């Protein structure tokens, strides 16, 4: 079976790290052309280092790692607090020291799209700055990418404000460029990801697996649980893992296609992802497949099985 060509773009904090660890165990079905980093949960130097170091620690130093944007398109960078200063809390991943790709993330995405026209899949779990820059720099990329899967947005409510999800809030202009570009997008937002609080039985099963992937994931889990218990920050939701799951195991999600746009001018609604639920804008083509619900039992069964059966896959 031909592997799926993919570029993955992370603002690697805690749940991004789990998504990356999970994705790296799928190289039998994924042709990972590049992994890139963007500023978001923490500044770029930290997200890039976390991304590269995890890739290399797990034995995948043949994959190029590219640095991307260090700030949103038009705004000051707003970082999260729940991932700690480094993005990985109290988890230390050895510094690989490997050089980053000589070109930036926007170029790396475009190069992969040229190499696999009409086939490339992009997973983007942070602010959409790198993808937006690639679209602005190379408008023809819109026809070259097969599908973009994002973690971001929400059909109802938010976690950064009452109206917006964090990634959308950080760079709403970038997300608007993506949604208006014509690229086929699947939005995996808070509607489903807030349902994925880590069950203890899942953590315990993965802790019993003696692979580098499982042991690193458990360290991240432990910090996510500590930060919630001691500081009242985010619960241990695996937001970004759900976006990856949408690529390789989409059956767990219920999707519905809407016309969706992003609020960039509002004050209390900055970054709000606004879906046309009632088709009041019939002239606008439906542009985003939105995750509305998730089969949690199937999701957790799949997630555990990844670590039980696929550890150290290259």
């Amino acid at each position: 079976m031909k592997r799926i060509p993919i570029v993955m773009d992370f603002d690697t904090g805690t749940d991004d790290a789990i998504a990356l660890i999970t994705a790296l165990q799928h190289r039998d079905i994924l042709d990972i052309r590049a992994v890139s980093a963007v500023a978001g949960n923490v500044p770029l130097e930290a997200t890039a280092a976390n991304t590269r170091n995890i890739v290399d620690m797990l034995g995948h130093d043949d994959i190029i790692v590219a640095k991307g944007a260090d700030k949103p398109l038009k705004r000051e960078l707003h970082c999260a607090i729940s991932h700690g200063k480094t993005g990985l809390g109290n988890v230390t991943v050895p510094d690989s020291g490997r050089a980053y790709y000589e070109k930036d993330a926007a170029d790396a995405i475009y190069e992969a799209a040229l190499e696999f026209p009409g086939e490339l899949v992009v997973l983007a779990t942070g602010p959409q700055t790198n993808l937006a820059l690639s679209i602005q720099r190379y408008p023809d990329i819109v026809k070259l990418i097969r599908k973009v899967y994002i973690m971001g947005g929400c059909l109802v409510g938010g976690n950064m404000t009452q109206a917006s999800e964090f990634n959308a809030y950080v760079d709403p202009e970038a997300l608007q460029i993506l949604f208006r570009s014509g690229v086929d997008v699947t939005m995996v937002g808070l509607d489903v990801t807030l349902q994925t609080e880590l069950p203890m039985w899942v953590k315990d099963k993965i802790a019993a697996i003696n692979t580098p992937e499982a042991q690193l994931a458990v360290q991240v889990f432990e910090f996510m649980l500590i930060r919630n218990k001691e500081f009242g920050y985010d619960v241990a939701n695996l937001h970004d893992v759900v976006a990856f799951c949408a690529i390789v195991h989409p059956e767990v999600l219920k999707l519905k296609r809407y016309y969706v746009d992003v609020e960039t001018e509002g004050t209390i609604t900055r970054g709000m992802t606004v879906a046309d639920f009632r088709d009041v804008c019939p002239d606008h083509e439906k542009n985003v497949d939105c995750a509305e619900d998730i089969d949690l039992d199937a999701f957790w069964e799949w997630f555990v099985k990844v670590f039980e059966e696929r550890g150290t896959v290259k």
Side-chain angles (χ1 to χ4, degrees):
M1 183 179 71
K2 185 177 180 181
R3 294 187 297 166
I4 302 167
I6 188 171
V7 172
M8 301 187 294
D9 186 64
F10 299 102
D11 61 334
T12 304
T14 53
D15 55 309
D16 308 76
I18 302 299
L20 176 56
I21 294 165
T22 306
L24 289 170
Q25 296 177 88
H26 285 77
R27 292 191 70 182
D28 57 330
I29 62 172
L30 298 179
D31 183 3
I32 303 174
R33 307 307 301 171
V35 181
S36 58
V38 66
N41 285 319
V42 287
L44 178 66
E45 288 304 315
T47 64
N50 292 341
T51 303
R52 178 198 60 192
N53 294 341
I54 290 171
V55 168
D56 290 5
M57 177 185 176
L58 297 179
H60 301 274
D61 57 3
D62 57 313
I63 298 174
I64 65 171
V65 178
K67 280 186 173 182
D70 63 359
K71 61 181 180 180
L73 295 179
K74 296 183 178 182
R75 301 174 187 262
E76 295 297 319
L77 176 63
H78 181 99
C79 293
I81 59 173
S82 60
H83 301 264
K85 291 183 179 180
T86 69
L88 295 178
N90 60 8
V91 179
T92 301
V93 180
D95 186 353
S96 76
R98 177 163 63 109
Y100 297 103
Y101 189 50
E102 63 268 20
K103 298 182 182 180
D104 71 1
D107 276 7
I109 295 168
Y110 183 61
E111 287 178 347
L114 285 175
E115 189 175 359
F116 296 92
E119 298 181 54
L120 184 70
V121 169
V122 178
L123 170 68
T125 66
Q128 300 303 310
T129 318
N130 289 338
L131 260 174
L133 286 170
S134 198
I135 292 167
Q136 289 181 325
R137 199 177 294 173
Y138 307 106
D140 60 316
I141 196 174
V142 169
K143 295 184 178 180
L144 300 174
I145 293 177
R146 179 168 71 85
K147 186 82 171 177
V148 171
Y149 294 82
I150 70 166
M151 190 281 127
C154 193
L155 291 172
V156 180
N159 65 347
M160 183 64 198
T161 72
Q162 62 266 46
S164 60
E165 176 273 335
F166 175 80
N167 291 330
Y169 179 90
V170 170
D171 199 343
E173 286 81 10
L175 186 56
Q176 186 181 78
I177 286 170
L178 176 63
F179 281 177
R180 293 183 177 184
S181 69
V183 173
D184 193 8
V185 178
T186 292
M187 182 180 89
V188 179
L190 300 177
D191 312 277
V192 294
T193 68
L194 285 177
Q195 299 182 48
T196 60
E197 182 176 353
L198 180 70
M200 287 303 97
W201 71 266
V202 170
K203 173 182 170 292
D204 291 343
K205 275 185 170 288
I206 293 176
I209 301 168
N210 188 26
T211 63
E213 294 85 357
Q215 295 307 304
L216 179 56
V218 170
Q219 289 182 57
V220 178
F221 292 156
E222 293 284 3
F223 169 72
M224 296 172 79
L225 294 167
I226 289 170
R227 78 181 178 201
N228 179 247
K229 181 178 181 181
E230 294 188 3
F231 305 109
Y233 296 153
D234 295 351
V235 298
N237 284 318
L238 302 192
H239 301 279
D240 297 335
V241 179
V242 187
F244 174 71
C245 182
I247 300 172
V248 297
H249 193 37
E251 296 82 5
V252 306
L253 294 172
K254 176 185 176 183
L255 302 174
K256 187 170 182 179
R257 196 166 184 85
Y258 294 102
Y259 167 63
V260 186
D261 208 339
V262 184
E263 177 57 62
T264 62
E265 300 297 330
T267 51
I268 62 172
T269 56
R270 165 183 167 177
M272 183 178 182
T273 43
V274 183
D276 184 7
F277 295 111
R278 298 183 178 87
D279 293 322
V280 297
C281 301
D283 294 336
H284 290 289
E285 184 177 350
K286 295 178 180 180
N287 59 335
V288 181
D289 291 314
C290 302
E292 291 190 317
D293 203 0
I294 183 170
D295 182 337
L296 282 175
D297 290 339
F299 172 76
W300 292 121
E301 180 182 354
W302 162 80
F303 183 65
V304 170
K305 189 174 291 186
V306 169
F307 288 87
E308 288 179 337
E309 298 182 355
R310 307 179 71 95
T312 67
V313 168
K314 292 186 67 176

